[in-house]
Amino acid sequence: MEKEFFPTKYGLQSRFKLAKNTPAPIANWVEAQPRAVYGIERKVDGLEIVVSKQGRRKLIPWCWIVGLRQAGYNYGLPL
């Protein structure tokens, strides 16, 4: 599954693809989020998506991300 996010406050416009064997709770959470999120951060252990001003966030571990592109940058994880 491929998803594109447009952060409203911080982070870069991000497009990433989840692995086919991603656990259902993670895949369903990503699918349920709107395209406009509060922020996106690359962390050591994954991609953190902040979905509200109150700080609701979710960390998607790198092991489930098979493709990533952020605002024109390609990190060796082709889409």
Side-chain angles (χ1 to χ4, degrees):
M1 179 191 79
E2 201 170 301
K3 183 83 176 195
E4 190 165 8
F5 287 111
F6 300 96
T8 57
K9 288 292 177 192
Y10 63 91
L12 299 170
Q13 173 187 338
S14 302
R15 194 165 121 213
F16 64 88
K17 191 183 334 183
L18 292 175
K20 290 183 195 275
N21 61 345
T22 302
I26 293 175
N28 292 341
W29 185 89
V30 170
E31 185 66 37
Q33 300 313 308
R35 288 170 58 130
V37 294
Y38 195 74
I40 290 184
E41 285 185 76
R42 280 181 293 126
K43 301 279 188 180
V44 172
D45 47 355
L47 194 65
E48 188 174 67
I49 302 168
V50 182
V51 294
S52 73
K53 218 181 235 190
Q54 292 78 24
R56 272 190 31 235
R57 60 188 68 227
K58 179 112 175 150
L59 185 74
I60 311 296
W62 289 122
C63 60
W64 303 122
I65 296 175
V66 294
L68 173 65
R69 181 168 292 145
Q70 288 188 308
Y73 296 101
N74 191 346
Y75 295 101
L77 298 167
L79 286 172

Coordinates of all heavy atoms in Angstrom, one line a residue:
M1 N 0.8 -1.2 0.0 CA 0.0 0.0 0.0 C 0.9 1.2 0.0 O 1.9 1.3 0.7 CB -0.9 0.0 1.2 CG -1.8 1.2 1.3 SD -2.6 1.4 2.9 CE -1.3 2.0 3.9
E2 N 0.5 2.2 -0.8 CA 1.3 3.4 -0.9 C 0.4 4.6 -0.3 O -0.8 4.6 -0.6 CB 1.6 3.7 -2.4 CG 2.8 4.6 -2.6 CD 3.2 4.7 -4.0 OE1 3.6 3.6 -4.6 OE2 3.1 5.8 -4.6
K3 N 1.1 5.5 0.4 CA 0.3 6.6 1.0 C 1.2 7.9 0.9 O 2.4 7.8 1.0 CB 0.0 6.3 2.5 CG -0.8 7.3 3.2 CD -2.2 7.1 3.0 CE -3.0 8.1 3.9 NZ -4.4 7.9 4.0
E4 N 0.5 9.0 0.7 CA 1.2 10.3 0.6 C 0.7 11.2 1.7 O -0.5 11.3 1.9 CB 1.0 10.9 -0.8 CG 1.8 12.1 -1.1 CD 1.8 12.4 -2.5 OE1 1.0 11.9 -3.3 OE2 2.6 13.3 -2.9
F5 N 1.6 11.9 2.4 CA 1.2 12.8 3.4 C 1.7 14.2 3.2 O 2.8 14.4 2.7 CB 1.7 12.3 4.8 CG 1.0 11.1 5.4 CD1 1.7 9.9 5.4 CD2 -0.3 11.2 5.8 CE1 1.1 8.8 6.0 CE2 -0.9 10.1 6.4 CZ -0.2 8.9 6.4
F6 N 0.9 15.2 3.5 CA 1.3 16.6 3.4 C 1.2 17.2 4.8 O 0.2 17.6 5.3 CB 0.3 17.3 2.5 CG 0.2 16.7 1.1 CD1 -0.7 15.8 0.7 CD2 1.2 17.1 0.1 CE1 -0.8 15.3 -0.6 CE2 1.2 16.6 -1.2 CZ 0.2 15.7 -1.5
P7 N 2.4 17.4 5.4 CA 2.4 18.0 6.8 C 2.0 19.4 6.8 O 2.5 20.2 5.9 CB 3.8 17.8 7.3 CG 4.5 17.0 6.2 CD 3.7 17.0 5.0
T8 N 1.2 19.9 7.7 CA 0.8 21.2 7.8 C 1.8 22.1 8.6 O 1.8 23.3 8.4 CB -0.6 21.4 8.4 OG1 -0.6 20.8 9.7 CG2 -1.6 20.7 7.6
K9 N 2.5 21.5 9.5 CA 3.4 22.3 10.4 C 4.9 22.1 10.2 O 5.7 22.9 10.0 CB 3.0 22.1 11.9 CG 1.7 22.8 12.3 CD 1.9 24.3 12.2 CE 0.5 24.9 12.5 NZ 0.5 26.3 12.3
Y10 N 5.3 20.8 10.3 CA 6.7 20.5 10.2 C 6.9 19.2 9.5 O 6.1 18.3 9.4 CB 7.4 20.6 11.5 CG 7.0 19.5 12.5 CD1 7.6 18.3 12.5 CD2 5.9 19.7 13.3 CE1 7.2 17.3 13.4 CE2 5.5 18.8 14.2 CZ 6.1 17.6 14.3 OH 5.7 16.6 15.1
G11 N 8.1 19.0 8.9 CA 8.4 17.8 8.2 C 8.2 18.0 6.7 O 7.7 19.1 6.2
L12 N 8.7 17.1 5.9 CA 8.6 17.2 4.4 C 7.4 16.4 3.9 O 7.0 15.4 4.5 CB 9.9 16.6 3.8 CG 11.2 17.3 4.2 CD1 12.4 16.5 3.7 CD2 11.2 18.7 3.6
Q13 N 6.9 16.8 2.8 CA 5.9 16.1 2.1 C 6.4 14.7 1.9 O 7.6 14.5 1.4 CB 5.5 16.7 0.8 CG 4.6 15.9 -0.1 CD 4.4 16.5 -1.5 OE1 4.6 17.7 -1.7 NE2 4.0 15.7 -2.4
S14 N 5.7 13.7 2.3 CA 6.3 12.3 2.3 C 5.4 11.3 1.6 O 4.2 11.4 1.7 CB 6.5 11.8 3.7 OG 7.3 12.7 4.4
R15 N 6.0 10.5 0.8 CA 5.2 9.4 0.1 C 6.0 8.1 0.5 O 7.2 8.0 0.3 CB 5.2 9.6 -1.4 CG 4.2 8.8 -2.1 CD 4.0 9.3 -3.5 NE 4.3 8.3 -4.4 CZ 4.9 8.5 -5.6 NH1 5.1 9.7 -6.0 NH2 5.2 7.5 -6.4
F16 N 5.3 7.1 1.0 CA 6.0 5.9 1.3 C 5.1 4.7 1.0 O 3.9 4.8 0.9 CB 6.5 5.8 2.8 CG 5.4 5.9 3.8 CD1 4.8 4.7 4.2 CD2 5.0 7.1 4.3 CE1 3.8 4.7 5.2 CE2 4.0 7.1 5.3 CZ 3.4 5.9 5.7
K17 N 5.7 3.6 0.9 CA 5.0 2.3 0.5 C 5.3 1.3 1.7 O 6.4 1.2 2.1 CB 5.5 1.7 -0.8 CG 4.7 0.6 -1.3 CD 5.2 -0.1 -2.5 CE 6.0 0.7 -3.5 NZ 6.4 0.0 -4.7
L18 N 4.2 0.7 2.1 CA 4.3 -0.3 3.2 C 4.6 -1.7 2.6 O 4.1 -2.0 1.5 CB 3.1 -0.4 4.0 CG 2.8 0.9 4.9 CD1 1.4 0.7 5.6 CD2 3.9 1.1 5.9
A19 N 5.3 -2.5 3.3 CA 5.5 -3.9 2.8 C 4.2 -4.7 2.8 O 3.2 -4.3 3.5 CB 6.5 -4.6 3.8
K20 N 4.1 -5.7 1.9 CA 2.9 -6.5 1.8 C 2.6 -7.2 3.1 O 1.4 -7.5 3.3 CB 3.1 -7.5 0.6 CG 3.1 -6.8 -0.7 CD 3.2 -7.9 -1.8 CE 3.6 -7.3 -3.1 NZ 2.5 -6.8 -3.9
N21 N 3.6 -7.6 3.9 CA 3.3 -8.3 5.1 C 3.2 -7.5 6.3 O 3.4 -7.9 7.4 CB 4.4 -9.4 5.3 CG 5.8 -8.8 5.4 OD1 6.0 -7.7 5.1 ND2 6.7 -9.6 5.9
T22 N 2.9 -6.2 6.1 CA 2.8 -5.3 7.3 C 1.6 -5.7 8.1 O 0.5 -6.1 7.6 CB 2.5 -3.8 6.8 OG1 3.6 -3.4 5.9 CG2 2.4 -2.8 7.9
P23 N 1.7 -5.7 9.5 CA 0.6 -6.1 10.3 C -0.6 -5.3 10.1 O -0.5 -4.1 9.8 CB 1.2 -5.9 11.7 CG 2.7 -6.0 11.6 CD 2.9 -5.4 10.2
A24 N -1.8 -5.9 10.2 CA -3.0 -5.2 9.9 C -3.2 -4.0 10.7 O -3.7 -2.9 10.2 CB -4.2 -6.2 10.0
P25 N -2.9 -4.0 12.0 CA -3.2 -2.7 12.8 C -2.4 -1.5 12.3 O -2.9 -0.4 12.2 CB -2.7 -3.1 14.2 CG -2.8 -4.6 14.3 CD -2.5 -5.1 12.9
I26 N -1.1 -1.7 11.8 CA -0.3 -0.6 11.3 C -0.9 -0.2 9.9 O -1.1 1.0 9.7 CB 1.1 -1.0 11.1 CG1 1.8 -1.2 12.5 CG2 1.9 0.0 10.4 CD1 3.2 -1.7 12.5
A27 N -1.2 -1.1 9.1 CA -1.7 -0.8 7.7 C -3.0 -0.1 7.8 O -3.3 0.9 7.1 CB -1.8 -2.1 6.9
N28 N -3.9 -0.6 8.7 CA -5.2 0.1 8.9 C -5.1 1.5 9.4 O -5.9 2.4 9.0 CB -6.1 -0.8 9.8 CG -6.5 -2.1 9.1 OD1 -6.4 -2.3 7.9 ND2 -6.9 -3.1 9.9
W29 N -4.2 1.7 10.4 CA -4.0 3.0 10.9 C -3.5 4.0 9.9 O -4.0 5.1 9.8 CB -3.0 3.0 12.1 CG -2.9 4.3 12.8 CD1 -3.6 4.7 13.9 CD2 -1.9 5.3 12.5 NE1 -3.2 6.0 14.2 CE2 -2.2 6.4 13.4 CE3 -1.0 5.5 11.5 CZ2 -1.5 7.6 13.4 CZ3 -0.3 6.7 11.5 CH2 -0.5 7.7 12.4
V30 N -2.5 3.6 9.1 CA -2.0 4.5 8.0 C -3.1 4.8 7.0 O -3.3 5.9 6.6 CB -0.8 3.8 7.3 CG1 -0.4 4.6 6.1 CG2 0.4 3.7 8.3
E31 N -3.9 3.8 6.6 CA -5.0 3.9 5.6 C -6.0 4.9 6.2 O -6.6 5.7 5.4 CB -5.6 2.6 5.3 CG -6.6 2.6 4.2 CD -6.0 3.0 2.9 OE1 -4.9 2.5 2.6 OE2 -6.7 3.7 2.1
A32 N -6.3 4.9 7.5 CA -7.4 5.7 8.0 C -7.0 7.2 8.2 O -7.9 8.0 8.4 CB -7.8 5.1 9.4
Q33 N -5.7 7.5 8.1 CA -5.3 8.9 8.4 C -5.6 9.8 7.2 O -5.4 9.3 6.0 CB -3.8 9.0 8.7 CG -3.4 8.2 10.0 CD -4.4 8.4 11.1 OE1 -4.6 9.6 11.5 NE2 -4.9 7.4 11.7
P34 N -5.9 11.0 7.4 CA -6.1 12.0 6.3 C -4.7 12.3 5.7 O -3.7 12.1 6.3 CB -6.7 13.2 6.9 CG -6.2 13.1 8.3 CD -6.1 11.7 8.7
R35 N -4.7 12.8 4.4 CA -3.5 13.1 3.8 C -2.8 14.3 4.4 O -1.5 14.4 4.4 CB -3.7 13.4 2.3 CG -4.1 12.1 1.5 CD -4.5 12.4 0.1 NE -3.6 13.2 -0.6 CZ -3.1 12.9 -1.8 NH1 -3.6 11.9 -2.4 NH2 -2.3 13.6 -2.4
A36 N -3.5 15.2 5.0 CA -2.9 16.4 5.7 C -2.7 16.0 7.1 O -3.7 15.8 7.9 CB -3.8 17.6 5.5
V37 N -1.5 15.9 7.6 CA -1.2 15.6 9.0 C -0.4 16.8 9.6 O 0.0 17.7 8.9 CB -0.3 14.3 9.1 CG1 -1.2 13.1 8.6 CG2 1.0 14.4 8.3
Y38 N -0.2 16.7 10.9 CA 0.4 17.9 11.6 C 1.9 17.9 11.3 O 2.5 18.9 11.1 CB 0.1 17.8 13.1 CG 0.4 19.0 13.8 CD1 -0.4 20.2 13.7 CD2 1.6 19.1 14.6 CE1 -0.1 21.3 14.4 CE2 1.8 20.3 15.3 CZ 1.0 21.4 15.2 OH 1.3 22.6 15.8
G39 N 2.6 16.7 11.3 CA 4.0 16.7 11.0 C 4.5 15.3 10.8 O 3.8 14.3 11.1
I40 N 5.7 15.2 10.2 CA 6.3 13.9 9.9 C 7.8 14.1 10.2 O 8.4 15.1 9.9 CB 6.2 13.6 8.4 CG1 4.8 13.2 8.1 CG2 7.1 12.4 8.0 CD1 4.5 12.7 6.7
E41 N 8.3 13.1 11.0 CA 9.8 13.1 11.3 C 10.4 11.8 11.0 O 9.8 10.7 11.3 CB 9.9 13.4 12.8 CG 9.7 14.8 13.3 CD 10.0 14.9 14.8 OE1 11.1 15.0 15.1 OE2 9.0 15.0 15.6
R42 N 11.6 11.8 10.5 CA 12.4 10.6 10.4 C 13.2 10.4 11.7 O 13.9 11.2 12.1 CB 13.4 10.7 9.2 CG 12.7 10.5 7.9 CD 13.7 10.6 6.7 NE 14.2 12.0 6.7 CZ 15.5 12.3 6.7 NH1 16.4 11.4 6.7 NH2 15.9 13.6 6.6
K43 N 12.9 9.2 12.3 CA 13.6 8.9 13.5 C 14.6 7.7 13.2 O 14.5 7.1 12.2 CB 12.6 8.4 14.6 CG 11.5 9.4 14.9 CD 12.1 10.4 15.9 CE 11.0 11.3 16.4 NZ 11.4 12.3 17.3
V44 N 15.4 7.4 14.2 CA 16.3 6.3 14.0 C 15.6 5.0 13.8 O 16.0 4.2 12.9 CB 17.2 6.2 15.3 CG1 18.1 4.9 15.2 CG2 18.1 7.4 15.4
D45 N 14.5 4.7 14.5 CA 13.9 3.4 14.4 C 12.6 3.5 13.5 O 11.9 2.5 13.4 CB 13.5 2.9 15.8 CG 12.9 3.9 16.7 OD1 12.8 5.1 16.3 OD2 12.5 3.6 17.8
G46 N 12.3 4.6 12.8 CA 11.1 4.6 12.0 C 10.7 6.0 11.6 O 11.4 7.0 11.8
L47 N 9.6 6.0 10.9 CA 9.0 7.3 10.4 C 7.9 7.6 11.4 O 6.9 6.8 11.6 CB 8.5 7.1 9.0 CG 8.1 8.3 8.2 CD1 9.3 9.2 7.9 CD2 7.5 7.9 6.9
E48 N 7.9 8.8 12.1 CA 6.9 9.2 13.0 C 6.0 10.1 12.4 O 6.4 11.2 11.8 CB 7.6 9.8 14.2 CG 6.6 10.0 15.4 CD 7.3 10.5 16.6 OE1 7.8 11.6 16.6 OE2 7.3 9.8 17.6
I49 N 4.7 9.8 12.5 CA 3.6 10.7 11.9 C 2.8 11.3 13.0 O 2.3 10.5 13.9 CB 2.7 9.8 11.0 CG1 3.5 9.2 9.9 CG2 1.6 10.7 10.4 CD1 2.8 8.1 9.1
V50 N 2.8 12.6 13.1 CA 2.0 13.3 14.1 C 0.7 13.8 13.5 O 0.7 14.5 12.5 CB 2.8 14.5 14.7 CG1 2.1 15.2 15.7 CG2 4.2 14.1 15.2
V51 N -0.4 13.3 14.0 CA -1.7 13.5 13.4 C -2.5 14.6 14.0 O -3.6 15.0 13.5 CB -2.5 12.2 13.3 CG1 -1.8 11.2 12.4 CG2 -2.7 11.6 14.6
S52 N -2.1 15.2 15.1 CA -2.9 16.2 15.8 C -2.0 17.2 16.5 O -0.8 16.9 16.9 CB -3.9 15.6 16.7 OG -3.2 15.2 17.9
K53 N -2.5 18.4 16.8 CA -1.8 19.4 17.5 C -1.6 19.0 19.0 O -0.6 19.4 19.6 CB -2.7 20.7 17.6 CG -2.0 22.0 17.5 CD -3.0 23.1 17.6 CE -2.8 24.0 16.4 NZ -3.6 25.2 16.5
Q54 N -2.4 18.1 19.5 CA -2.2 17.6 20.8 C -1.1 16.6 20.9 O -0.7 16.1 22.0 CB -3.5 16.9 21.3 CG -4.7 17.9 21.6 CD -5.3 18.3 20.3 OE1 -5.3 17.6 19.3 NE2 -6.0 19.5 20.3
G55 N -0.6 16.2 19.8 CA 0.6 15.3 19.8 C 0.3 13.8 19.5 O 1.1 13.0 19.8
R56 N -0.9 13.5 19.1 CA -1.2 12.1 18.8 C -0.2 11.7 17.6 O -0.2 12.3 16.6 CB -2.6 11.9 18.3 CG -3.6 11.6 19.4 CD -5.0 11.2 19.0 NE -5.0 10.5 17.7 CZ -5.8 10.8 16.7 NH1 -6.5 11.9 16.7 NH2 -5.8 10.1 15.6
R57 N 0.5 10.6 17.9 CA 1.5 10.2 16.9 C 1.6 8.7 16.9 O 1.2 8.0 17.7 CB 2.9 10.8 17.3 CG 3.4 10.4 18.7 CD 4.6 11.2 19.1 NE 4.3 12.6 19.3 CZ 5.1 13.6 18.9 NH1 6.1 13.4 18.2 NH2 4.7 14.8 19.1
K58 N 2.3 8.3 15.8 CA 2.5 6.8 15.6 C 3.8 6.7 14.9 O 4.1 7.4 14.0 CB 1.4 6.3 14.7 CG 1.5 4.8 14.4 CD 0.4 4.0 15.1 CE 0.5 2.6 14.7 NZ 0.0 1.8 15.8
L59 N 4.6 5.7 15.3 CA 5.9 5.4 14.8 C 5.7 4.2 13.9 O 5.3 3.1 14.3 CB 6.9 5.1 15.9 CG 8.3 4.9 15.4 CD1 8.9 6.2 14.9 CD2 9.2 4.3 16.5
I60 N 6.0 4.3 12.6 CA 6.0 3.2 11.7 C 7.5 2.7 11.6 O 8.3 3.4 11.0 CB 5.5 3.6 10.3 CG1 4.2 4.4 10.4 CG2 5.4 2.4 9.4 CD1 3.0 3.7 10.9
P61 N 7.8 1.5 12.1 CA 9.1 1.0 12.0 C 9.7 0.9 10.6 O 8.9 0.6 9.7 CB 9.0 -0.4 12.7 CG 7.8 -0.3 13.5 CD 6.9 0.6 12.7
W62 N 11.0 1.1 10.4 CA 11.6 1.0 9.1 C 11.4 -0.4 8.4 O 11.4 -0.5 7.2 CB 13.1 1.3 9.2 CG 13.4 2.8 9.4 CD1 14.1 3.2 10.5 CD2 13.0 3.9 8.7 NE1 14.2 4.6 10.4 CE2 13.5 5.0 9.3 CE3 12.2 4.1 7.5 CZ2 13.3 6.3 8.8 CZ3 12.0 5.4 7.0 CH2 12.6 6.5 7.7
C63 N 11.3 -1.4 9.3 CA 11.2 -2.8 8.7 C 9.9 -2.9 7.9 O 9.8 -3.8 7.1 CB 11.3 -3.8 9.8 SG 10.0 -3.7 11.1
W64 N 8.9 -2.1 8.1 CA 7.6 -2.2 7.3 C 7.5 -1.2 6.2 O 6.6 -1.2 5.4 CB 6.4 -2.0 8.2 CG 6.4 -2.9 9.4 CD1 6.3 -2.6 10.7 CD2 6.3 -4.4 9.3 NE1 6.3 -3.8 11.5 CE2 6.3 -4.8 10.6 CE3 6.4 -5.3 8.3 CZ2 6.3 -6.2 10.9 CZ3 6.4 -6.6 8.6 CH2 6.3 -7.1 9.9
I65 N 8.6 -0.3 6.0 CA 8.6 0.7 4.9 C 9.5 0.2 3.9 O 10.7 0.0 4.1 CB 9.0 2.0 5.5 CG1 7.9 2.5 6.5 CG2 9.2 3.0 4.3 CD1 8.3 3.8 7.2
V66 N 9.0 0.0 2.7 CA 9.8 -0.6 1.6 C 10.1 0.5 0.5 O 11.0 0.3 -0.3 CB 9.2 -1.8 0.9 CG1 9.1 -2.9 1.8 CG2 7.8 -1.5 0.3
G67 N 9.5 1.7 0.6 CA 9.7 2.8 -0.3 C 9.5 4.1 0.4 O 8.5 4.2 1.1
L68 N 10.3 5.1 0.2 CA 10.2 6.4 0.8 C 10.7 7.5 -0.1 O 11.8 7.4 -0.6 CB 10.9 6.4 2.1 CG 11.0 7.8 2.9 CD1 9.6 8.2 3.3 CD2 11.9 7.7 4.0
R69 N 9.9 8.5 -0.3 CA 10.4 9.7 -1.0 C 9.8 10.9 -0.2 O 8.6 10.9 0.1 CB 9.8 9.7 -2.4 CG 10.3 10.9 -3.2 CD 10.0 10.8 -4.6 NE 10.8 9.7 -5.2 CZ 10.5 8.9 -6.2 NH1 9.3 9.0 -6.7 NH2 11.3 8.0 -6.6
Q70 N 10.7 11.8 0.1 CA 10.3 13.0 0.8 C 10.7 14.3 0.0 O 11.9 14.5 -0.1 CB 10.9 13.1 2.2 CG 10.3 12.1 3.2 CD 10.8 12.3 4.6 OE1 12.0 12.3 4.8 NE2 9.9 12.3 5.5
A71 N 9.7 15.0 -0.4 CA 9.9 16.3 -1.1 C 11.0 16.2 -2.2 O 11.9 17.1 -2.2 CB 10.1 17.4 -0.1
G72 N 11.0 15.2 -3.0 CA 12.0 15.1 -4.0 C 13.3 14.3 -3.7 O 14.0 13.9 -4.5
Y73 N 13.5 14.0 -2.4 CA 14.6 13.2 -2.0 C 14.3 11.7 -2.0 O 13.2 11.3 -1.6 CB 15.1 13.6 -0.5 CG 15.5 15.0 -0.4 CD1 14.7 15.9 0.2 CD2 16.8 15.3 -0.8 CE1 15.2 17.3 0.3 CE2 17.3 16.6 -0.7 CZ 16.4 17.6 -0.2 OH 16.9 18.9 0.0
N74 N 15.2 10.9 -2.5 CA 15.0 9.5 -2.5 C 16.1 8.9 -1.6 O 17.2 9.1 -1.8 CB 15.1 9.0 -4.0 CG 14.7 7.6 -4.1 OD1 14.5 6.9 -3.1 ND2 14.5 7.1 -5.3
Y75 N 15.7 8.1 -0.7 CA 16.6 7.6 0.3 C 17.0 6.2 0.0 O 17.3 5.4 1.0 CB 15.9 7.7 1.7 CG 15.7 9.1 2.2 CD1 14.4 9.6 2.1 CD2 16.7 9.9 2.6 CE1 14.2 10.9 2.5 CE2 16.5 11.2 3.0 CZ 15.2 11.7 2.9 OH 15.0 13.0 3.3
G76 N 17.1 5.8 -1.2 CA 17.5 4.5 -1.5 C 16.4 3.4 -1.3 O 16.7 2.2 -1.3
L77 N 15.2 3.9 -1.1 CA 14.1 3.1 -0.9 C 13.1 3.4 -2.0 O 12.2 4.2 -1.8 CB 13.4 3.3 0.5 CG 14.2 3.0 1.7 CD1 13.6 3.5 2.9 CD2 14.4 1.5 1.8
P78 N 13.3 2.9 -3.2 CA 12.5 3.3 -4.4 C 11.0 2.9 -4.2 O 10.6 2.0 -3.6 CB 13.1 2.5 -5.5 CG 13.7 1.3 -4.9 CD 14.2 1.8 -3.5
L79 N 10.2 3.8 -4.8 CA 8.7 3.5 -4.8 C 8.3 2.6 -5.9 O 8.9 2.6 -7.0 CB 8.0 4.8 -4.8 CG 8.0 5.6 -3.5 CD1 7.3 7.0 -3.7 CD2 7.2 4.8 -2.5

